[in-house]
Amino acid sequence: EDQVTQSPEALRLQEGESSSLNCSYTVSGLRGLFWYRQDPGKGPEFLFTLYSAGEEKEKERLKATLTKKESFLHITAPKPEDSATYLCAVRTNNNDMRFGAGTRLTVKP
Amino acid sequence: EPEVTQTPSHQVTQMGQEVILRCVPISNHLYFYWYRQILGQKVEFLVSFYNNEISEKSEIFDDQFSVERPDGSNFTLKIRSTKLEDSAMYFCASRVSLYNEQFFGPGTRLTVL
């Protein structure tokens, strides 16, 4: 069965304290791994798509990487406005999106 | 910047009533989706829609649910007889092609009393 597991569930950082979020997946046929940011009461906001092992994408303080079994979202020198829930999702052979439960990130000033 | 819009933002209904949730996808997008997120839980796929028909649906999307694209712009989700457990945020999403990212709307919070 296709599964997406994110860790940790929650992460509290001080402003400027870099860290990484993990997304591990087992899917029958990966057709893209997606990172989204979700603020409370809002819809997921697209961040990155990764398609193949070794691929990396960057945007401001965020960098996403992909291996054959997991993806990392690295946050460098985070700011309080980076506080949100970060969702990982995979597109399966059935073309549906399977989401992880998310990592709730809090960045304290 | 184009965006997916959803109405209403909050819908309160009595158990057993029918509700219709509305979405306006981004205008040049061809693939449309509905997801739900029960409070504190994962975003769950409900249904995908392309070329005026359902492409895929999950086990959640039973006979109580239906989708429609009644005109060139709206995409609706109907729940025929709501249950308490249907209370959730419902998100609409769209994409240009299967190889592009999905853009999500702001959601409709459905509360079934």
Side-chain angles (χ1 to χ4, degrees):
Chain A
E1 186 185 326
D2 297 337
Q3 291 236 15
V4 180
T5 304
Q6 291 188 246
S7 61
E9 285 185 18
L11 181 62
R12 296 170 71 91
L13 300 173
Q14 286 297 127
E15 185 171 1
E17 180 188 358
S18 302
S19 188
S20 296
L21 281 53
N22 177 265
C23 170
S24 61
Y25 60 91
T26 52
V27 293
S28 52
L30 180 69
R31 302 179 76 180
L33 184 140
F34 302 81
W35 282 98
Y36 286 85
R37 168 190 171 128
Q38 187 176 29
D39 291 298
K42 304 269 182 76
E45 177 190 337
F46 172 75
L47 294 173
F48 303 109
T49 310
L50 301 164
Y51 287 105
S52 54
E55 192 175 354
E56 297 183 354
K57 294 266 178 81
E58 276 190 78
K59 180 180 176 179
E60 295 179 359
R61 295 177 291 283
L62 300 177
K63 179 177 166 183
T65 61
L66 181 66
T67 71
K68 285 186 180 173
K69 294 205 183 256
E70 58 192 351
S71 176
F72 290 93
L73 185 66
H74 307 278
I75 303 179
T76 303
K79 298 183 178 181
E81 54 261 41
D82 295 321
S83 297
T85 296
Y86 291 84
L87 304 175
C88 168
V90 297
R91 187 161 73 91
T92 70
N93 274 336
N94 292 331
N95 284 324
D96 65 59
M97 291 274 275
R98 195 65 56 94
F99 279 84
T103 292
R104 193 170 61 255
L105 174 67
T106 305
V107 182
K108 296 284 195 184
Chain B
E1 189 177 322
E3 56 185 21
V4 177
T5 60
Q6 291 186 243
T7 54
S9 56
H10 192 189
Q11 173 92 48
V12 181
T13 190
Q14 294 290 327
M15 191 169 59
Q17 295 296 304
E18 173 184 288
V19 293
I20 297 176
L21 310 183
R22 292 185 165 79
C23 168
V24 179
I26 295 173
S27 63
N28 64 331
H29 287 191
L30 301 176
Y31 295 80
F32 313 112
Y33 304 83
W34 282 102
Y35 293 84
R36 80 170 184 194
Q37 187 175 32
I38 295 170
L39 187 63
Q41 297 189 23
K42 293 184 183 185
V43 174
E44 299 174 290
F45 168 76
L46 293 178
V47 66
S48 60
F49 192 85
Y50 170 71
N51 202 26
N52 281 320
E53 59 184 28
I54 291 174
S55 313
E56 302 289 341
K57 58 183 181 178
S58 70
E59 306 93 33
I60 303 166
F61 194 88
D62 62 21
D63 292 343
Q64 292 299 312
F65 292 87
S66 62
V67 289
E68 197 177 33
R69 189 153 159 83
D71 53 44
S73 59
N74 290 285
F75 179 50
T76 62
L77 174 70
K78 184 194 290 187
I79 309 175
R80 263 180 268 283
S81 178
T82 49
K83 303 189 274 284
L84 294 176
E85 54 264 38
D86 293 327
S87 294
M89 282 286 281
Y90 287 81
F91 294 108
C92 172
S94 69
R95 66 185 354 161
V96 169
S97 77
L98 288 176
Y99 303 100
N100 292 89
E101 61 274 16
Q102 293 184 20
F103 289 89
F104 283 75
T108 292
R109 179 172 299 285
L110 176 65
T111 302
V112 182
L113 302 176

